[in-house]
Amino acid sequence: IRKPNEGYNQYSFGENPIPIEFDMWLISQKKSNSEFVMDRYPRVKFNSLPAGMAAKEWANVDLSVKVLYDSTLGFALKRYDTVQDLS
């Protein structure tokens, strides 16, 4: 059973899927003071796609991504470091 949400996306890949570029955000765990860090990579591409994933099973998958420079935005990585309100 899925929790209430805004929906989902479903993707199908053929025999030789071609990795596509996507915008990736990595968000750290909250620190004890509730601060956290977010990293944005506007252009990344998987070097390969995981295969052989079985239904209803956990899996450890090694993934590698290639980070690309975004000439429109002018960066390859932008870090957002949240700071706790000091007031």
Side-chain angles (χ1 to χ4, degrees):
I1 298 174
R2 291 188 316 137
K3 294 190 252 180
N5 58 66
E6 295 293 321
Y8 67 94
N9 295 313
Q10 181 174 324
Y11 304 95
S12 296
F13 300 97
E15 287 184 34
N16 295 310
I18 299 171
I20 58 171
E21 288 184 23
F22 60 97
D23 188 349
M24 181 172 72
W25 290 77
L26 299 177
I27 302 170
S28 73
Q29 290 182 323
K30 282 187 179 181
K31 301 175 192 174
S32 59
N33 63 359
S34 296
E35 294 179 352
F36 61 94
V37 174
M38 295 186 302
D39 289 340
R40 179 184 181 198
Y41 301 84
R43 288 185 64 209
V44 296
K45 184 185 265 192
F46 283 122
N47 287 335
S48 64
L49 295 172
M53 299 177 84
K56 298 183 182 178
E57 290 185 12
W58 291 99
N60 289 324
V61 179
D62 289 327
L63 297 174
S64 60
V65 296
K66 183 175 185 178
V67 177
L68 305 167
Y69 178 75
D70 190 310
S71 58
T72 302
L73 296 174
F75 64 90
L77 161 66
K78 184 174 279 190
R79 175 162 284 178
Y80 302 86
D81 194 1
T82 63
V83 179
Q84 182 182 2
D85 183 18
L86 301 175
S87 57

